[in-house]
Amino acid sequence: MKFFRIIVQRVMCMLMLVQIAMGILYIAKSFGTYQQFSEGIVLIPFSAFIYPLQILAGLASTWYFIAVIYRRKNGVALDKRLGFLVTAFLNTIPFVLQMHMALLSYSFGLSVFLGLMGLAFSNEKKSESEEGEKKRPKLWNSLLLRVMLVFACMFLLNEVVKPACEDAISVKTTGKKIERIQNSFGAAMVSRFVWPDFATNYFFWSDEVKAVMSLDDAVHICQREEAVENYFGPLMEKAYGEKKANRIYLQMAKRCFMDRTKTIVTEIAKDFVDYTMIPFTVEKNLEGEGTSLTAWNYGRMKECAPGLVMYYFRYSLYILPILLLGSLLVCYEKMSSEVKALAGTAVIYALWYTLRSNKPIDYKLVLPIIFIWYLLAVWGLMKQDEEKAKEQII
C-alpha cells in the first residue's frame, strides 16, 4: 500500500510540474502586456511593477494558508519542498495566474481571502493544552464560525471597499464617480428575478417605473445585462432616491417571481451548480455550452500567447479530475473538518454570486472556489507527506 501511495505521489508531482512550467512561460510572454477588461484599471503606466507585486502577494498568502493547514493537521512545520511545489502549482492555475497578470482587483482579493482563511484555520488547540492559559470560548473555536467571519470580511471588501476604491480612481481620472445601482437586497433581487424580462413585463410595471423607463429603454436593458447596474439603477435612484427606489425594486422582483416562479427557481439552481462546479463549467463553456463570459476572459488571456494559452488552459482543466482521483486514492479515510470547511466555503461563495445577480457566469468573480477545487485536488499529496513527517517524529 505504501508503494502504491508513492507511485500516486510521483505521478501527481509530474502533472503539477508541467502546469508550473507552462505558467512560467505564460508569465514571460505576457509580462508588460495589458488585458483589456471593462472593469479594468486604466491609465496606469507601471503595470510592470503591479504584476510582480500581485504574484508575490499570491505566493505569500498561499504559502501561509498551506502552512497553517499543514501544522493544524500534523503538528509540525510545512515541508519546504512540498510547500514550494503546492504554492507554485496553485498560483499557476490559469484562472488565477491570468488575474495576477491583469490590472484588476481579483488577484489581491484572492490574496486577502487566503490570508483571512489562514487566520481562520490557525490551530486553536495549542492554547487549550497549555496549563494555566485561559481557553478561548467554544464559539470562537468553531471553525465554521471563523469561516463565516472570513466570508463577512470578503463581503465587505467586495461590496463596500472595492466600489469605494473604484469611485476614487474614477474621480481622479474622469472627475466623477461611477454611476451604478445601490448595494441592497432589492437591487440584487431586481437583477436576479427581473432581468431579462424588463420589456416583457413592461405594461405591468407601476407608473413610477414607466415615468423613468420607456419601452425602448426596457428593450435596451434586456439586451445588456450590465444595463441593470449601470443604466436602470442610476435612473431610478436619481429620480426617487435610494430608499424609495429599493422599495420599487422589491415590488418588481415580487411581480416577476410570481409570474415566473418555476423558471426563476430553475435558473437559480443551474447557476448555483455552475458556480459550485466552476472548473467543469468552464470546460463546458469552452465547448460552446451555457451562457457565460468564459470566452471573453479566455480571449483576453490568449492575446499575448495564443498557442501556449490554448494548451495551458486545457491541460490544467484536464489534470484536475486526475489529481482529484489521486487524492481520493490516498485519502480514503473519513472527510476531515478542514475539507468540510473548505467545501462549505465554496458553497457559500457560490450561493452569494448566484443570488446577487442574473449576470452570465464569470470565473473571475469566484477565484476562491477555483482555488479550493485545486487545493482539494492535491490534498492527497499533502496527506501522504504528513504521514511521512509523523514517521520522522516517531
Side-chain angles (χ1 to χ4, degrees):
M1 190 64 182
K2 185 176 180 180
F3 177 74
F4 173 74
R5 288 189 176 189
I6 293 174
I7 295 298
V8 173
Q9 180 188 29
R10 297 288 173 84
V11 171
M12 291 175 70
C13 289
M14 290 173 61
L15 294 174
M16 293 164 67
L17 286 170
V18 173
Q19 176 180 288
I20 293 169
M22 288 183 170
I24 293 172
L25 285 175
Y26 174 73
I27 292 173
K29 286 183 172 290
S30 62
F31 200 85
T33 62
Y34 175 71
Q35 299 180 68
Q36 181 64 54
F37 291 96
S38 60
E39 68 269 44
I41 302 172
V42 295
L43 302 177
I44 294 184
F46 42 89
S47 61
F49 170 74
I50 296 294
Y51 297 161
L53 192 61
Q54 292 184 152
I55 292 173
L56 288 174
L59 292 172
S61 58
T62 302
W63 180 281
Y64 170 65
F65 183 36
I66 294 171
V68 166
I69 292 178
Y70 193 94
R71 181 174 288 278
R72 175 189 173 89
K73 286 181 63 63
N74 195 51
V76 296
L78 175 65
D79 177 78
K80 290 185 178 180
R81 288 179 298 177
L82 174 64
F84 283 125
L85 177 65
V86 175
T87 298
F89 173 74
L90 293 175
N91 280 275
T92 52
I93 301 168
F95 316 96
V96 173
L97 189 56
Q98 181 185 15
M99 294 301 101
H100 286 339
M101 304 300 293
L103 295 178
L104 298 171
S105 62
Y106 303 110
S107 174
F108 280 120
L110 178 62
S111 298
V112 171
F113 168 78
L114 294 176
L116 291 173
M117 287 293 283
L119 292 174
F121 275 74
S122 59
N123 196 338
E124 76 280 358
K125 296 177 182 179
K126 182 178 179 181
S127 64
E128 294 179 1
S129 64
E130 292 176 355
E131 295 183 1
E133 186 171 347
K134 186 178 179 180
K135 295 183 180 180
R136 298 173 186 171
K138 289 184 178 180
L139 187 62
W140 171 250
N141 284 335
S142 168
L143 183 57
L144 176 61
L145 172 66
R146 286 178 283 158
V147 168
M148 291 299 294
L149 289 174
V150 170
F151 174 76
C153 291
M154 293 304 297
F155 181 86
L156 290 174
L157 285 172
N158 281 277
E159 304 298 339
V160 179
V161 178
K162 179 184 173 184
C165 292
E166 291 173 345
D167 284 340
I169 293 173
S170 179
V171 168
K172 188 171 183 179
T173 56
T174 66
K176 60 180 181 179
K177 292 183 178 181
I178 299 173
E179 290 190 342
R180 61 163 71 87
I181 199 169
Q182 61 181 292
N183 279 325
S184 68
F185 181 74
M189 292 302 96
V190 81
S191 177
R192 178 71 259 184
F193 292 169
V194 181
W195 192 87
D197 290 320
F198 278 81
T200 306
N201 286 5
Y202 181 78
F203 295 102
F204 296 103
W205 300 139
S206 66
D207 292 337
E208 294 166 316
V209 176
K210 293 178 183 177
V212 172
M213 179 180 67
S214 67
L215 180 58
D216 289 338
D217 289 334
V219 172
H220 166 71
I221 294 170
C222 292
Q223 295 170 344
R224 303 288 297 181
E225 69 280 349
E226 68 272 13
V228 177
E229 179 180 352
N230 302 330
Y231 181 71
F232 175 70
L235 281 178
M236 290 291 294
E237 289 159 29
K238 187 179 294 184
Y240 302 113
E242 290 188 358
K243 189 174 181 179
K244 185 175 181 180
N246 190 59
R247 289 201 301 268
I248 297 173
Y249 295 155
L250 290 172
Q251 293 170 3
M252 296 174 71
K254 180 181 178 181
R255 172 74 202 206
C256 273
F257 187 76
M258 292 174 62
D259 293 342
R260 304 171 54 243
T261 304
K262 183 178 179 180
T263 301
I264 289 174
V265 171
T266 302
E267 289 175 350
I268 289 175
K270 182 180 181 301
D271 286 352
F272 175 71
V273 172
D274 284 344
Y275 271 129
T276 304
M277 308 292 290
I278 188 66
F280 307 99
T281 302
V282 169
E283 180 65 33
K284 291 194 303 180
N285 296 156
L286 292 176
E287 298 294 336
E289 299 180 27
T291 303
S292 72
L293 296 179
T294 297
W296 173 260
N297 297 336
Y298 178 62
R300 305 288 71 73
M301 189 177 184
K302 282 184 66 177
E303 288 177 346
C304 65
L308 171 64
V309 169
M310 180 180 67
Y311 291 109
Y312 178 31
F313 223 85
R314 294 286 186 174
Y315 176 81
S316 184
L317 292 172
Y318 174 76
I319 66 171
L320 177 60
I322 299 175
L323 293 174
L324 284 168
L325 177 60
S327 290
L328 286 173
L329 291 174
V330 172
C331 295
Y332 51 84
E333 73 277 5
K334 186 179 179 180
M335 186 183 295
S336 66
S337 61
E338 292 83 6
V339 173
K340 291 178 181 178
L342 289 170
T345 303
V347 169
I348 293 170
Y349 253 92
L351 187 62
W352 173 15
Y353 281 103
T354 297
L355 294 178
R356 74 192 298 268
S357 76
N358 195 23
K359 292 182 179 180
I361 299 298
D362 186 355
Y363 65 71
K364 300 194 305 296
L365 300 176
V366 289
L367 288 186
I369 299 179
I370 295 172
F371 187 94
I372 288 171
W373 268 106
Y374 279 82
L375 176 58
L376 293 178
V378 298
W379 198 261
L381 184 64
M382 295 178 68
K383 174 64 179 176
Q384 188 176 19
D385 276 62
E386 288 171 7
E387 292 180 349
K388 182 178 179 181
K390 288 180 181 179
E391 292 176 2
Q392 292 175 348
I393 292 175
I394 294 171

